[in-house]
Amino acid sequence: AQSVTQLDSQVPVFEEAPVELRCNYSSSVSVYLFWYVQYPNQGLQLLLKYLSGSTLVKGINGFEAEFNKSQTSFHLRKPSVHISDTAEYFCAVSVTDKLIFGTGTRLQVFP
Amino acid sequence: NAGVMQNPRHLVRRRGQEARLRCSPMKGHSHVYWYRQLPEEGLKFMVYLQKENIIDESGMPKERFSAEFPKEGPSILRIQQVVRGDSAAYFCASSPRQNSNYGYTFGSGTRLTVV
């Protein structure tokens, strides 16, 4: 069965520092992977997705993620974070007609 | 071009009452998904509907919960005889296609509090 593991429940970081949010998946079939962001009291917004092709995927707000099949990972990165990036980030894998989400990583950016 | 609209944004119910959550998908989207987010947890799939059909309800609790997506009007998630454990954020998402590979568009959610 497909599943998603987000290894860090919280990631504190100072403004303008780089950040990496880790995501590992398990799947016996071809995977399609997503990162969503959830700002406080809001719904989820799609950051980026990997369907096929280049393993480096660029998304909105300066985020990017790299699909690594051998390590079954899809880590999210940003070279320089901003206070406004403070939010909850969810990794997800597509399973036919639905998305399976990880438990989320809370990114806290400090000034 | 309005996004996915959910209402109400906040809903308070006493134990034993009914909760009705509404979701209007994006224009042109005929596939609707309901997810539940318990405090400090990720989103859990509940049900996937297409107009007038339930496609996948594998995540729905067996009792008290039901969902519909009529030919006209919004999708409704109905919770009968609510209990404290039903307190959560309920998110609706829609897509133009059956396959979730393209991702969804999410609404802002309904936060249900059972007192």
Side-chain angles (χ1 to χ4, degrees):
Chain A
Q2 287 84 351
S3 66
V4 174
T5 302
Q6 292 185 247
L7 299 166
D8 307 297
S9 59
Q10 295 188 62
V11 173
V13 64
F14 287 108
E15 194 174 19
E16 297 183 5
V19 71
E20 178 180 84
L21 306 183
R22 296 181 292 171
C23 172
N24 287 87
Y25 67 91
S26 66
S27 175
S28 57
V29 297
S30 297
V31 291
Y32 305 97
L33 295 157
F34 304 80
W35 275 99
Y36 282 85
V37 59
Q38 184 181 30
Y39 298 103
N41 297 315
Q42 294 188 27
L44 277 72
Q45 180 182 3
L46 180 65
L47 270 179
L48 49 80
K49 60 188 175 187
Y50 171 78
L51 302 181
S52 64
S54 173
T55 56
L56 183 63
V57 181
K58 293 192 181 297
I60 62 171
N61 301 340
F63 284 93
E64 63 181 31
E66 185 159 16
F67 171 61
N68 188 319
K69 188 175 182 179
S70 62
Q71 297 187 6
T72 61
S73 68
F74 190 55
H75 300 334
L76 181 70
R77 302 186 183 100
K78 186 169 182 177
S80 176
V81 294
H82 191 267
I83 294 284
S84 60
D85 292 322
T86 294
E88 189 91 18
Y89 291 80
F90 292 97
C91 182
V93 61
S94 171
V95 178
T96 56
D97 58 6
K98 54 183 173 283
L99 292 179
I100 306 297
F101 286 87
T103 52
T105 297
R106 186 179 304 275
L107 175 64
Q108 180 75 51
V109 182
F110 295 94
Chain B
N1 184 17
V4 177
M5 305 301 292
Q6 288 188 252
N7 64 81
R9 288 294 302 274
H10 300 275
L11 182 62
V12 179
R13 285 288 178 265
R14 296 186 185 279
R15 280 179 294 172
Q17 291 184 319
E18 179 180 285
R20 292 171 67 87
L21 288 61
R22 289 178 291 278
C23 169
S24 297
M26 282 188 70
K27 188 175 181 180
H29 288 194
S30 59
H31 302 265
V32 166
Y33 310 81
W34 285 93
Y35 283 77
R36 177 166 63 175
Q37 185 179 30
L38 293 168
E40 307 302 320
E41 293 189 19
L43 279 77
K44 302 294 185 186
F45 169 79
M46 298 183 75
V47 62
Y48 161 39
L49 310 104
Q50 208 175 345
K51 283 286 187 181
E52 301 184 276
N53 290 304
I54 296 175
I55 308 299
D56 182 348
E57 56 181 347
S58 58
M60 287 280 269
K62 294 288 185 267
E63 297 177 347
R64 302 187 297 108
F65 285 72
S66 63
E68 62 177 11
F69 188 18
K71 186 176 181 180
E72 300 292 336
S75 175
I76 305 289
L77 179 67
R78 182 181 177 205
I79 311 172
Q80 296 177 288
Q81 300 175 334
V82 296
V83 300
R84 288 253 171 87
D86 297 333
S87 294
Y90 292 82
F91 290 97
C92 170
S94 72
S95 71
R97 303 175 183 84
Q98 178 177 4
N99 197 303
S100 63
N101 294 348
Y102 294 89
Y104 308 147
T105 300
F106 278 87
S108 298
T110 293
R111 281 151 183 84
L112 172 65
T113 301
V114 179
V115 298

